[in-house]
Amino acid sequence: MTRRTGRRSYSAASLARHALSGHRCWPRAIPEDRPRSGYEVVIIGAGGHGLAAAYHLARDHGIRDVAVIDKGYLGGGNVTRNTAIVRSNYFLPARGDIADRSLELWEGLSEDLNFNVMFSQGGIINLAHSTSQLDDFARRANAMAIRGVPAELLSRDEVAALLPRLDISSSTRYPVVGGLLQRRAGTVRHDAVAWGYARAAASLGVDIVQNHEVTAITSEGGRVTGVVTPHGEIHADRVIAAVSAGSTRIAQAAGLTLPVESHVLQAAVTEPLAPVLHHVVTHGLVNFYVSQTDKGELLLGGNIDGYNTRIARGGPSPLEEAIRVLVSMFPSLSRVRLLRTWAGVVDMSMDGAPILSETPLGGFYLNTGWCYGGFKTTPAVGELLAEMVATGTTPPMAAPFALDRFASGRIVPEEGHGPKPWMYH
Amino acid sequence: MLVITCPHCGPRDVTEYSYGGDASRARPDTTGEVDDATWDAYLYLRGDPAGPHLEHWHHALGCRQWLTVTRDTTTDRILEVRSPAMGGREP
């Protein structure tokens, strides 16, 4: 195995140099690693959270004897199946703080990683369809203001000015009365996040191991000792499970039953259009969100299919509903053709909030239950997981998401549907 | 689309039904004196099986019965449907 020394930086100079050689000599950005027999830290899951944790362990804590292992290929999981939306317009401080910290990190991430993650801060507009919903948005905006996060309550006319294509007539299916705007929100190119973190972590000495599925967790005397893959055992002093779909299986391998269920969420893109939508826009009655990518595609998503499944392929009804809502909001887009749809199996927790926690098994850390809101917090979760593992303590920002909160009753009910994961967003 | 065969109404699309979640957990009999761990296990902990899953479905746009369905979460194949009269459990 070859150890990497330093990062070969992307810059205007490197671009010019490689242009002279016809772009034929670019070095491989991310090495293909075979696992060694043991590491200080093994991270299960090379998604955004796992890769970010490896990056922060290596960069901030000097722990470089780290492997990130994944059952599939880099960027094949939920890190690239989400709708790329980044925001922090939460009501509860616990949810808001971690999303706020992430926004700060997103803003500098391209420079940190020396990799353009294409963060576009177009802002997010949540539409309100009744005056009582607007009151609720005012309450949420106030909660955000208390955290020091700017949010603006919009009148119907202000919404119309920002979204000229939106049907705000009183005869539309769901008339609009106003909205909530967070200007710092936006979208990030999600596969660049996976590649950027992987490249940065690898250049600091982290091994990125693909196509190695963890089938068992080994332990001795109540402490984790490593993981088992079909290719052999890998020893580890500490193990982080940063897995979404399948986290319940990994946890069972560690002797834990989780307050988590697997569900499927679909998304879709249309053919590319000229710029028509600057913001991320969400509907206030039907769970629906749409944005326009830098390539011009409209990227849309809706509800999970609504029953436990391990199949990363959904039924037609949630997508049909999403498309119906899109057309009711933007009638001028009714002739746009759908280009592609896909799905991802997501880890729905019992209170709709994540689990970011140490566990009864010593040295085994769990990061799961992000429902379908994990992408936006990737940078902060990486930072928190690294701190937890490096220092053996729980940072205040992670404390509300302890695994034992369900037994103790200190749940984090941002939406408050009770233990019905199929109702959460 | 998932199709569930209701014992009363016959095969119907999933859009006629409303999901009621995992039906494998039994509510503790003595809720007054149950300890936190037992209550936590009943209320929050799930087996989340990759395979046969026992679950509640309400035939909301049909006979309005609560059905107990066994479905394979890896294939979406329905293995068994019971109405309350056939020994199914109400949620």
Side-chain angles (χ1 to χ4, degrees):
Chain A
M1 202 205 63
T2 53
R3 299 306 299 173
R4 291 165 293 272
T5 48
R7 179 190 304 174
R8 270 172 287 198
S9 191
Y10 294 145
S11 63
S14 74
L15 192 61
R17 203 165 55 243
H18 285 288
L20 291 174
S21 58
H23 294 295
R24 283 186 300 269
C25 308
W26 282 101
R28 190 187 177 99
I30 299 157
E32 237 176 72
D33 291 314
R34 307 284 307 167
R36 296 204 308 273
S37 61
Y39 293 90
E40 195 173 338
V41 180
V42 161
I43 300 173
I44 308 170
H49 288 194
L51 292 166
Y55 170 68
H56 283 283
L57 273 171
R59 194 197 71 172
D60 303 344
H61 303 279
I63 300 178
R64 298 179 176 201
D65 186 19
V66 177
V68 189
I69 56 178
D70 200 282
K71 67 175 178 179
Y73 62 94
L74 186 68
N78 287 354
V79 65
T80 57
R81 290 168 189 259
N82 56 70
T83 41
I85 299 167
V86 164
R87 60 181 176 86
S88 73
N89 52 359
Y90 285 99
F91 176 71
L92 292 179
R95 299 299 304 273
D97 288 345
I98 200 165
D100 292 340
R101 174 62 186 149
S102 289
L103 260 187
E104 284 174 17
L105 291 169
W106 284 121
E107 284 169 342
L109 195 66
S110 292
E111 278 189 30
D112 280 352
L113 299 181
N114 181 238
F115 200 93
N116 186 2
V117 296
M118 298 169 89
F119 183 26
S120 309
Q121 286 177 291
I124 186 168
I125 298 175
N126 306 115
L127 297 177
H129 306 276
S130 66
T131 49
S132 58
Q133 189 168 31
L134 205 55
D135 289 346
D136 184 53
F137 282 1
R139 175 171 171 264
R140 178 136 63 111
N142 288 337
M144 291 168 68
I146 289 169
R147 301 202 311 269
V149 175
E152 296 163 48
L153 209 58
L154 303 175
S155 70
R156 179 169 162 276
D157 290 343
E158 286 167 330
V159 171
L162 291 173
L163 302 172
R165 285 176 180 271
L166 181 72
D167 183 358
I168 55 146
S169 66
S170 56
S171 60
T172 186
R173 178 72 185 83
Y174 304 106
V176 173
V177 301
L180 178 67
L181 169 63
Q182 184 185 20
R183 289 189 191 271
R184 279 175 69 202
T187 55
V188 185
R189 185 178 177 199
H190 47 203
D191 33 19
V193 173
W195 299 331
Y197 270 119
R199 174 174 167 271
S203 74
L204 294 171
V206 171
D207 280 359
I208 314 283
V209 181
Q210 304 175 54
N211 301 312
H212 279 57
E213 181 170 19
V214 169
T215 53
I217 309 268
T218 56
S219 63
E220 203 177 295
R223 226 192 129 73
V224 74
T225 55
V227 301
V228 180
T229 78
H231 307 277
E233 194 172 336
I234 304 169
H235 295 284
D237 300 334
R238 280 157 289 175
V239 173
I240 303 173
V243 178
S244 56
S247 63
T248 48
R249 183 179 64 75
I250 296 287
Q252 278 158 11
L256 302 167
T257 306
L258 294 187
V260 170
E261 287 181 349
S262 304
H263 288 257
V264 66
L265 177 68
Q266 303 181 66
V269 286
T270 68
E271 61 188 336
L273 306 173
V276 290
L277 195 59
H278 185 63
H279 303 80
V280 177
V281 183
T282 78
H283 200 264
L285 288 171
V286 180
N287 181 31
F288 172 77
Y289 33 97
V290 61
S291 63
Q292 187 168 23
T293 69
D294 290 346
K295 278 190 283 184
E297 303 151 329
L298 293 172
L299 174 54
L300 40 133
N303 266 324
I304 51 176
D305 275 36
Y307 50 89
N308 299 48
T309 185
R310 298 301 185 102
I311 309 171
R313 188 180 64 236
S317 44
L319 272 184
E320 276 173 3
E321 183 177 68
I323 292 161
R324 270 201 304 275
V325 176
L326 174 73
V327 172
S328 81
M329 291 162 71
F330 301 101
S332 61
L333 301 176
S334 65
R335 305 298 291 274
V336 175
R337 282 168 296 192
L338 208 60
L339 186 70
R340 195 156 54 85
T341 79
W342 66 93
V345 179
V346 292
D347 41 338
M348 303 299 293
S349 73
M350 292 293 146
D351 60 354
I355 295 158
L356 183 51
S357 180
E358 55 180 17
T359 66
L361 181 63
F364 182 70
Y365 296 83
L366 203 54
N367 170 51
T368 185
W370 283 94
C371 299
Y372 44 106
F375 177 68
K376 70 174 78 68
T377 58
T378 299
V381 169
E383 206 176 45
L384 290 170
L385 280 172
E387 189 181 340
M388 287 170 89
V389 169
T391 65
T393 60
T394 301
M397 210 181 273
F401 305 113
L403 179 59
D404 64 9
R405 72 175 183 270
F406 295 92
S408 69
R410 292 188 187 85
I411 56 168
V412 186
E414 173 83 16
E415 293 174 53
H417 296 303
K420 295 177 178 164
W422 58 93
M423 296 182 71
Y424 286 108
H425 301 137
Chain B
M1 186 181 295
L2 186 65
V3 174
I4 300 172
T5 302
C6 173
H8 305 288
C9 315
R12 300 295 179 92
D13 286 348
V14 69
T15 48
E16 285 195 10
Y17 295 86
S18 148
Y19 189 57
D22 188 343
S24 66
R25 298 157 302 114
R27 186 184 171 92
D29 291 331
T30 51
T31 48
E33 52 205 61
V34 75
D35 60 78
D36 284 354
T38 311
W39 190 242
D40 177 37
Y42 163 67
L43 203 57
Y44 293 121
L45 301 186
R46 300 288 187 271
D48 189 38
H53 184 243
L54 192 69
E55 56 199 22
H56 296 296
W57 285 93
H58 185 222
H59 197 182
L61 301 182
C63 60
R64 302 197 59 77
Q65 293 289 304
W66 277 101
L67 307 176
T68 309
V69 175
T70 310
R71 181 179 53 89
D72 190 325
T73 59
T74 60
T75 61
D76 260 358
R77 190 168 300 152
I78 308 277
L79 305 174
E80 189 184 38
V81 181
R82 286 169 181 255
S83 69
M86 299 156 71
R89 289 155 67 162
E90 300 213 13

